């Protein structure tokens, strides 16, 4: 019994140690990022664990995150999961899928208060991706799924 307890404690510590951090943001913080004049190319993917097309395209964002590491390209996966699902579903999902990209969770309960900040014509459907660089106001928005070739072409067109 003692060994089972020790094993369970080690398993808990191991899972806690490798748990993906999820940053909580609100519309003010999102607006600040969107209005920054940074020369970093940001790739914001709006998704949720309950959205099958979103989950299916996550590996391409992970690949982009890996391939462009060390360059001025930053992938942020912005989760739109419900608040009550962050701890029991979102965080374990990130660990099980070995997500290495930065993950944010939108704390605003009404998407109508922030969707227009991202793209005025966006109706709020998922997945959606915004690629932008504030220093020269370059931006691309896509409502729906992206494939790897298209995403790379867009990044390479914007990123010198």
């Amino acid at each position: 019994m003692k060994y089972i307890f020790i094993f369970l404690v080690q398993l808990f510590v191991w899972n806690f140690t490798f748990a993906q951090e999820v940053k909580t943001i609100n519309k003010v913080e999102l607006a600040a990022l969107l209005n920054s004049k940074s020369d970093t190319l940001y790739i914001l993917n709006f998704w949720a664990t309950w959205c099958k097309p979103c989950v299916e395209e996550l590996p391409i964002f992970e690949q982009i995150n890996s391939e462009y590491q060390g360059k001025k390209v930053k992938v942020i996966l912005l989760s739109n999961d419900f608040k009550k699902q962050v701890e029991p579903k979102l965080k374990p999902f990130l660990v099980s899928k070995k997500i290495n990209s930065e993950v944010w969770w939108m704390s605003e309960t009404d998407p109508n208060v922030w969707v227009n900040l991202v793209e005025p014509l966006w109706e709020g459907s998922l997945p959606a991706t915004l690629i932008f660089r504030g220093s020269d106001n370059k931006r691309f928005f896509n409502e729906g799924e992206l494939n790897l070739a298209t995403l790379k072409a867009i990044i390479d067109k914007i990123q010198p």
Side-chain angles (χ1 to χ4, degrees), residues 71-159:
K71 298 180 181 170
K72 291 193 174 202
V73 175
K74 184 169 187 160
V75 174
I76 300 172
L77 305 175
L78 209 155
S79 170
N80 287 271
D81 282 278
F82 303 109
K83 182 178 182 176
K84 65 182 180 181
Q85 295 297 318
V86 172
E87 291 298 327
K89 188 169 183 183
L90 175 60
K91 288 184 177 181
F93 173 88
L94 298 171
V95 171
S96 72
K97 297 293 185 184
K98 298 180 173 79
I99 301 296
N100 293 313
S101 299
E102 191 168 335
V103 178
W104 293 2
W105 173 72
M106 177 52 76
S107 65
E108 302 290 347
T109 56
D110 181 2
N112 294 317
V113 302
W114 61 269
V115 164
N116 286 341
L117 294 172
V118 176
E119 171 59 46
L121 299 176
W122 182 23
E123 295 181 4
S125 65
L126 299 176
T129 304
L130 175 65
I131 302 170
F132 73 98
R133 185 174 51 228
S135 62
D136 56 8
N137 294 318
K138 290 193 176 182
R139 66 188 280 129
F140 170 85
F141 180 77
N142 184 74
E143 189 168 9
E145 292 179 75
L146 285 170
N147 62 48
L148 183 60
T150 301
L151 185 56
K152 280 185 172 184
I154 295 162
I155 293 168
D156 292 341
K157 183 177 181 181
I158 295 174
Q159 188 69 5

